[in-house]
Amino acid sequence: MNESALIIIDMQTGILEDADYPIVFKEQLISNINRLIKDADSKGILTIFIHHTEAQGTPLEINAPGWQITPQLIQPKEAFFIDKHTPDSFHQTQLKKLLDEHAITNIVIAGVQTDYCIDTTCRRAFSLGYQTTLVSDAHSTCDSQNLKAAQIIRHHNQILGNWFVRLIKTNEIKL
C-alpha cells in the first residue's frame, strides 16, 4: 500500500477565472499540477481534490459552475473530492479520516491560494504529524494590496520550508 497522497487545493473555475483577483502563473501552475497528477496516477498514489465551498448564491456555491474543478486539470477516475468551508482543508472535513483510512503518512500539496488555503493546510498537516511536501512551483495566488503575488509565493516557500514542509520543485519530485 502506498503511504503518500497528492492533495490539490481549490483549483476551481471560480477562483482561477476571477478577473478581479487573477492568479499569477496560472498556465504553468495548471501544467505543473497536471504533471503531478499524471505521476501520482501512474504510481497508484491517492489524488484528492479539495473544493472551497461557500454560501448559496456565491460563485463557489456547491455544484455551481465556479465551484467545479477547472476542466484543464486531469481528474483520475479514482480521485477523491472533499468540500471545505475555511482555509484549512482539515477543519470540519473528511480529509483526515480519508488519509487515515488509506494509511497515508506523507502528503504532497499543490493548488491555490498560497497565502490562505495552502499556508493553512500545510501548517495543519504539520501539526497533525504528516510528512508534508509543498511543491514550490505548483501553488499560486494573486497580488495583494501590499505585495505582488510572486513575493507572496517566495515568502511562503521560505517560511513554510523553514519549519512546516519539505519544499521541492515539480521537475524534482519523486512521488
Side-chain angles (χ1 to χ4, degrees):
M1 177 180 279
N2 199 309
E3 297 176 347
S4 297
L6 173 62
I7 300 174
I8 309 298
I9 300 174
D10 298 350
M11 291 294 291
Q12 296 161 257
T13 302
I15 295 171
L16 296 173
E17 302 303 325
D18 187 340
D20 293 332
Y21 301 98
I23 300 296
V24 300
F25 316 124
K26 181 172 70 172
E27 296 307 317
Q28 187 63 50
L29 174 68
I30 290 168
S31 175
N32 288 350
I33 292 176
N34 272 332
R35 184 172 172 183
L36 295 169
I37 294 169
K38 285 179 194 174
D39 194 24
D41 195 41
S42 73
K43 294 176 180 165
I45 292 172
L46 189 69
T47 298
I48 303 166
F49 290 91
I50 306 293
H51 282 108
H52 189 81
T53 304
E54 294 184 352
Q56 188 173 7
T58 65
L60 297 179
E61 171 187 350
I62 196 164
N63 296 322
W67 176 85
Q68 304 299 326
I69 300 297
T70 180
Q72 294 175 288
L73 283 185
I74 299 163
Q75 294 181 43
K77 292 177 187 171
E78 299 81 24
F80 288 86
F81 298 84
I82 293 178
D83 298 334
K84 68 174 179 58
H85 300 277
T86 72
D88 181 349
S89 296
F90 290 95
H91 183 68
Q92 297 179 345
T93 73
Q94 296 297 310
L95 180 57
K96 184 172 184 334
K97 180 180 179 194
L98 177 63
L99 295 174
D100 290 348
E101 287 172 354
H102 288 85
I104 301 297
T105 56
N106 304 300
I107 61 174
V108 176
I109 294 177
V112 294
Q113 283 185 242
T114 300
D115 39 345
Y116 295 100
C117 301
I118 298 297
D119 177 87
T120 306
T121 300
C122 285
R123 291 170 189 257
R124 180 72 180 274
F126 173 84
S127 295
L128 291 171
Y130 293 100
Q131 295 298 313
T132 306
T133 299
L134 176 60
V135 186
S136 62
D137 58 352
H139 64 94
S140 189
T141 192
C142 57
D143 293 343
S144 73
Q145 291 179 347
N146 299 311
L147 296 170
K148 294 290 185 190
Q151 293 172 300
I152 295 168
I153 294 165
R154 281 193 309 272
H155 173 77
H156 279 78
N157 279 341
Q158 177 189 356
I159 297 299
L160 292 170
N162 281 341
W163 191 263
F164 303 99
V165 301
R166 175 178 75 122
L167 282 176
I168 194 157
K169 291 185 177 187
T170 302
N171 64 356
E172 297 171 352
I173 196 163
K174 305 270 191 276
L175 292 174

